[in-house]
């Protein structure tokens, strides 16, 4: 293995161990210190169970079922990265690595991207586990392909959400200072908490309208949601042959390509400079 490969393996392994390490924030008499991410997994599992059960009971079509499931996962993953994982790309501690150790900025950046890809996969699992099982029970045929396509589309949808979060990070860090960035995230957290409470109240009526096909215009607008582009994959696996599904898949591929190119070509070369700016004000 090359030196850069060994550095990547060490960076990724250490980052994942830190994710799962109990920091002592939550303690119980029987379990001791519990990692905060485990509580996140529990909350996401409950949210996924609620979403999947609601869609299953409403007998929503496959496309609607998957789109709503993916959309809920996208929202939760995006705000998790923006709020809870706000230093994933540009931590002030990165200056110690870049400036004093023989690790190139691109290597450190790639290690962080691989880490967050694994992190997003861990978040996707509890959010989509229950919906995947409910969907497998609901469909009449092609259960295996639908189940596999659901997970593939779900992870790609999460990766697209991650890439969009990286884009937002890049734009914000170029336009505002690190202090204002933290203040902005505090307001985002407040707005997100209020929006989540309101959204859960409206979810039932929205799913009912979509599931019963009572509003064709709403179903058409649903195709404008990026999550629906990835939902086309399991919908095709379920046996649907509508040509517009292929168009949605093309949009999903184009979205991944454009956001991925932005992350590799624009964020990585400027990474060391961004770390230097943050270090100067820390």
């Amino acid at each position: 293995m090359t030196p850069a490969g060994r550095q990547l393996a060490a960076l990724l392994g250490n980052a994942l161990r830190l994710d799962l390490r109990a920091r002592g924030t939550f303690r119980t008499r029987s379990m001791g210190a519990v990692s905060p991410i485990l509580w996140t997994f529990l909350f996401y599992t409950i949210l996924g169970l609620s979403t999947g059960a609601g869609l299953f009971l409403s007998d929503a079509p496959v496309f609607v079922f998957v789109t709503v499931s993916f959309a809920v996962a996208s929202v939760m993953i995006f705000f998790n990265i923006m709020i809870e994982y706000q230093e994933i790309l540009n931590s002030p501690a990165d200056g110690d690595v870049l400036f004093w150790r023989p690790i190139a900025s691109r290597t450190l950046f790639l290690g962080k991207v691989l880490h967050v890809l694994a992190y997003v996969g861990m978040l996707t699992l509890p959010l989509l586990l229950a919906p995947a099982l409910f969907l497998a029970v609901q469909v009449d045929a092609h259960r295996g392909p639908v189940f596999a396509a659901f997970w593939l589309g779900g992870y790609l949808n999460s990766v697209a959400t991650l890439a969009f979060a990286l884009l937002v990070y890049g734009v914000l860090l170029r336009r505002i200072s690190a202090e204002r960035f933290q203040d902005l995230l505090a307001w985002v957290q407040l707005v997100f908490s209020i929006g989540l409470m309101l959204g859960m109240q409206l979810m039932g009526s929205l799913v009912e309208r979509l599931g019963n096909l009572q509003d064709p215009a709403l179903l058409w607008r649903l195709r404008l949601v990026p999550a629906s582009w990835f939902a086309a994959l399991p919908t095709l696996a379920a046996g649907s042959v509508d040509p517009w599904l292929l168009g949605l898949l093309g949009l999903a591929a184009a979205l991944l390509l454009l956001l991925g190119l932005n992350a590799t070509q624009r964020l990585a070369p400027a990474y060391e400079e961004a770390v230097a700016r943050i270090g100067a004000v820390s």
Side-chain angles (χ1 to χ4, degrees):
M1 182 181 294
T2 63
R6 289 193 295 269
Q7 291 171 349
L8 278 176
L11 289 169
L12 181 58
N14 289 333
L16 292 176
R17 281 192 293 270
L18 287 174
D19 285 338
L20 299 175
R21 184 181 66 181
R23 300 176 177 85
T25 304
F26 301 96
R27 289 184 176 271
T28 64
R29 291 182 178 180
S30 60
M31 299 175 61
V34 179
S35 173
I37 198 173
L38 297 181
W39 294 105
T40 301
F41 289 166
L42 177 61
F43 172 69
Y44 283 0
T45 300
I46 296 173
L47 179 62
L49 180 62
S50 175
T51 303
L55 292 167
F56 178 78
L57 293 175
S58 67
D59 197 24
V62 173
F63 179 70
V64 174
F65 190 112
V66 179
T67 297
V68 174
S69 299
F70 287 2
V72 171
S74 292
V75 171
M76 298 307 299
I77 289 172
F78 177 81
F79 281 103
N80 182 283
I81 294 173
M82 292 296 294
I83 296 172
E84 302 295 342
Y85 231 60
Q86 57 207 29
E87 292 186 350
I88 181 63
L89 285 181
N90 296 99
S91 171
D94 292 344
D96 296 335
V97 179
L98 286 176
F99 303 147
W100 302 105
R101 293 176 175 84
I103 298 180
S105 61
R106 285 183 176 271
T107 301
L108 184 57
F109 182 85
L110 180 58
K112 286 180 171 288
V113 170
L114 292 176
H115 169 215
V116 78
L117 283 173
Y119 180 80
V120 164
M122 292 190 295
L123 295 181
T124 302
L125 179 62
L127 283 167
L128 295 184
L129 179 59
L133 295 176
F134 278 115
L135 182 62
V137 173
Q138 177 175 305
V139 295
D140 298 327
H142 312 295
R143 285 190 172 91
V146 170
F147 187 80
F150 181 89
W151 281 112
L152 177 59
Y155 182 69
L156 292 177
N157 174 69
S158 298
V159 170
T161 303
L162 162 64
F164 180 69
L166 297 184
L167 175 62
V168 173
Y169 262 113
V171 172
L172 291 178
L173 288 175
R174 284 196 299 268
R175 296 181 180 275
I176 62 177
S177 64
E179 296 93 334
R180 291 184 60 192
F181 185 55
Q182 298 300 322
D183 294 339
L184 176 62
L185 287 177
W187 282 105
V188 169
Q189 183 175 11
L190 176 62
V191 173
F192 172 66
S193 300
I194 297 174
L196 179 62
M197 291 186 293
L198 295 176
M200 295 303 295
Q201 298 296 323
L202 299 175
M203 178 69 72
S205 60
L206 177 62
V207 169
E208 183 178 358
R209 291 171 63 188
L210 291 171
N212 295 331
L213 301 178
Q214 294 177 353
D215 193 342
L218 184 59
L219 283 173
W220 173 254
R221 290 195 294 270
L222 191 67
R223 300 175 187 176
L224 301 178
V225 178
S228 70
W229 307 347
F230 299 92
L233 185 61
T235 305
L236 286 169
S240 178
V241 293
D242 292 331
W244 57 268
L245 290 173
L246 297 176
L248 294 182
L249 277 180
L251 289 175
L255 180 66
L256 282 173
L257 179 62
L258 291 175
L259 291 176
L261 288 175
N262 173 81
T264 56
Q265 294 183 1
R266 298 185 62 185
L267 294 184
Y271 179 63
E272 188 169 353
E273 179 184 352
V275 171
R277 290 200 306 269
I278 293 179
V281 299
S282 298

